[in-house]
Amino acid sequence: RNMPSRGDVVAWSESSAVQYANSVLGARTNRNSLLIDVCSAVTGYTPEFGYLLDENRRGRLLVRLKITKMDASALGYLLGTLAVDRVPVVEHYPFSRVELKNMGGAMAASGAVALFHVEGVTPEAPDCASVFDGKPEKEITITQEMIDGLRYRGPVDMVIFGCPQMTFDEIMALAPRFAGCTVTKPTIFFMVPDAYNRFKETDLCKKVIKAGVRLETCCPVSALTSHQGMYKKKKIMTASGKTYYYLDGSLYGTVEDCCAACGAA
């Protein structure tokens, strides 16, 4: 299916997808309940309120960055706790689409943020003046110390990657770290089904499987929660701020932390 484009109105409910539609694609949707989604699908109409209206898409918080090593997922986790349900505007940083996906997913989990802007990056924010009505209500600063404060550096029992599930480009960037090694802890890649189908046709996939990595196409939070008895007492490290928020007892680490924890390069 074709993805929505800037200005399109959609009726979505999953928090990470809502974030991506509003913030990265510039489409418009609320965090709908399933019943609104069903009614919109049947009728072709959706209620006009919330983030479908210009005035509710304006920025309310200005976010300044004092970060020397970016971790977009950790940043999203922190922003969710600070913004709660207000629209944050992050000063310019050249985030990739993958970083925007992971930052938004974490932000929507730790808070109820359905829309964020990044100055000079996201569709509605060519500059800060375009998304604020005058001065922001509040300015906040995210520091490297705050980012690093989320990291766990002790031993773990298991490492998982993905949530939102990894895209093909994300997998291809991560997988070379596992080629030629053998993982020392159970390690799982959670991938978008289409990305998995593409990845399994590559030589790199064979090397990752040989390293001992397990490949899955389901949601990690749902999968691990449904098998809670099996994983309840395990120390599970993740590079996903979304998983860190939702999965009881999980531990946060950067991608580098997670790779080191399971013996990857």
Side-chain angles (χ1 to χ4, degrees):
R1 297 179 182 178
N2 292 329
M3 291 291 288
S5 59
R6 183 174 180 180
D8 284 349
V9 172
V10 295
W12 290 0
S13 59
E14 202 282 326
S15 61
S16 298
V18 166
Q19 273 271 12
Y20 199 82
N22 277 325
S23 306
V24 183
L25 302 179
R28 299 189 175 208
T29 182
N30 291 301
R31 284 177 65 153
N32 292 311
S33 70
L34 181 60
L35 289 179
I36 291 179
D37 284 3
V38 171
C39 291
S40 295
V42 171
T43 66
Y45 291 90
T46 192
E48 189 177 13
F49 73 104
Y51 292 105
L52 272 58
L53 304 176
D54 290 344
E55 58 266 32
N56 294 326
R57 299 179 71 86
R58 308 296 291 174
R60 295 178 61 187
L61 302 178
L62 177 60
V63 181
R64 299 198 180 279
L65 303 176
K66 289 188 177 180
I67 297 173
T68 55
K69 186 173 178 56
M70 177 55 68
D71 182 346
S73 194
L75 173 59
Y77 178 89
L78 291 170
L79 283 180
T81 64
L82 295 169
V84 186
D85 62 351
R86 294 172 290 182
V87 178
V89 181
V90 182
E91 68 179 359
H92 181 77
Y93 185 87
F95 294 105
S96 68
R97 283 206 164 193
V98 165
E99 287 178 315
L100 292 171
K101 169 183 76 78
N102 293 330
M103 179 169 71
M107 205 185 305
S110 63
V113 181
L115 167 66
F116 65 88
H117 302 293
V118 179
E119 178 189 12
V121 175
T122 53
E124 296 170 62
D127 50 54
C128 284
S130 299
V131 286
F132 282 117
D133 283 324
K135 292 185 178 180
E137 294 177 9
K138 186 177 180 180
E139 290 190 18
I140 58 177
T141 300
I142 303 294
T143 66
Q144 189 66 47
E145 289 74 19
M146 294 167 71
I147 296 284
D148 290 341
L150 295 178
R151 296 168 66 185
Y152 173 79
R153 294 176 174 84
V156 302
D157 300 313
M158 184 178 187
V159 176
I160 63 173
F161 295 91
C163 190
Q165 288 132 295
M166 289 191 288
T167 65
F168 179 74
D169 289 343
E170 207 169 352
I171 298 163
M172 293 301 288
L174 177 64
R177 295 173 179 261
F178 292 83
C181 75
T182 301
V183 295
T184 57
K185 302 291 180 180
T187 304
I188 309 176
F189 287 4
F190 289 92
M191 301 174 284
V192 174
D194 180 67
Y196 167 73
N197 291 334
R198 292 176 63 190
F199 182 59
K200 70 181 182 180
E201 300 300 323
T202 68
D203 289 336
L204 194 52
C205 180
K206 298 173 186 176
K207 295 177 182 178
V208 166
I209 292 173
K210 186 176 180 180
V213 177
R214 185 169 135 202
L215 308 180
E216 295 286 353
T217 58
C218 53
C219 167
V221 173
S222 297
L224 297 175
T225 301
S226 64
H227 293 83
Q228 189 175 17
M230 186 184 303
Y231 299 113
K232 187 174 183 180
K233 295 183 179 180
K234 291 188 180 295
K235 292 182 177 180
I236 302 175
M237 178 176 275
T238 176
S240 162
K242 182 174 181 177
T243 298
Y244 177 56
Y245 179 81
Y246 282 128
L247 188 63
D248 186 37
S250 61
L251 306 163
Y252 187 81
T254 64
V255 171
E256 290 75 16
D257 292 337
C258 289
C259 288
C262 65

